[in-house]
Amino acid sequence: MELTIERISAVTLRVANMMKSVRFYRDVLGMELLYGGEETGFSSLRTKNAQSAILNLEQGDTVTRWGRLVFHVTNVDALWTQLKEKGFTPEIPQDASWGERYFHMPDPDGHQLSFARPLQ
């Protein structure tokens, strides 16, 4: 029997302020809180798609130069405008050579996030 990785189940990020991080991912990005919350040391969130990987937030010392978390969204430019209107400073959206429209911005702890949509 060949062993293969089936899917990514979860990604865990260390966060310095659980309240601020939960509010960002839940209230700004619209993710669903599955476990934990603003006053806990560990929280789990997921996009509205039940097949999506879970994003875990763990209270502790943050590490920010680790990579990038990519979210596929319904409309890159509309999300960019919404984030700008809420006071965030995301990079300007652009079309990538690999066939996606995307932009980057940090979360409250400096973790690099990318919001993308395949070009059609």
Side-chain angles (χ1 to χ4, degrees), residues 13-57:
L13 301 178
R14 284 275 181 111
V15 300
N17 184 316
M18 186 63 71
M19 180 183 293
K20 190 173 184 179
S21 293
V22 166
R23 288 180 179 177
F24 175 76
Y25 285 100
R26 182 191 62 206
D27 302 340
V28 175
L29 299 184
M31 295 180 77
E32 176 185 4
L33 182 66
L34 302 174
Y35 176 83
E38 296 177 14
E39 303 297 326
T40 67
F42 188 88
S43 297
S44 298
L45 300 101
R46 182 172 46 212
T47 66
K48 301 298 181 192
N49 178 345
Q51 302 300 316
S52 175
I54 292 171
L55 174 62
N56 294 315
L57 305 175

Side-chain angles (χ1 to χ4, degrees), residues 1-112:
M1 177 169 132
E2 181 181 347
L3 298 175
T4 60
I5 295 173
E6 295 177 349
R7 68 184 180 97
I8 294 174
S9 172
V11 173
T12 301
L13 301 178
R14 284 275 181 111
V15 300
N17 184 316
M18 186 63 71
M19 180 183 293
K20 190 173 184 179
S21 293
V22 166
R23 288 180 179 177
F24 175 76
Y25 285 100
R26 182 191 62 206
D27 302 340
V28 175
L29 299 184
M31 295 180 77
E32 176 185 4
L33 182 66
L34 302 174
Y35 176 83
E38 296 177 14
E39 303 297 326
T40 67
F42 188 88
S43 297
S44 298
L45 300 101
R46 182 172 46 212
T47 66
K48 301 298 181 192
N49 178 345
Q51 302 300 316
S52 175
I54 292 171
L55 174 62
N56 294 315
L57 305 175
E58 181 178 15
Q59 186 80 40
D61 295 331
T62 61
V63 178
T64 59
R65 299 280 181 199
W66 61 276
R68 179 177 295 127
L69 187 57
V70 180
F71 294 96
H72 272 185
V73 300
T74 54
N75 186 316
V76 170
D77 295 284
L79 178 60
W80 182 84
T81 299
Q82 181 181 0
L83 291 168
K84 289 284 286 182
E85 289 172 352
K86 291 184 179 203
F88 295 96
T89 54
E91 294 177 4
I92 296 172
Q94 58 185 303
D95 294 342
S97 60
W98 57 86
E100 287 183 330
R101 182 154 182 82
Y102 75 97
F103 68 88
H104 300 312
M105 72 172 267
D107 78 354
D109 286 285
H111 299 296
Q112 186 69 228

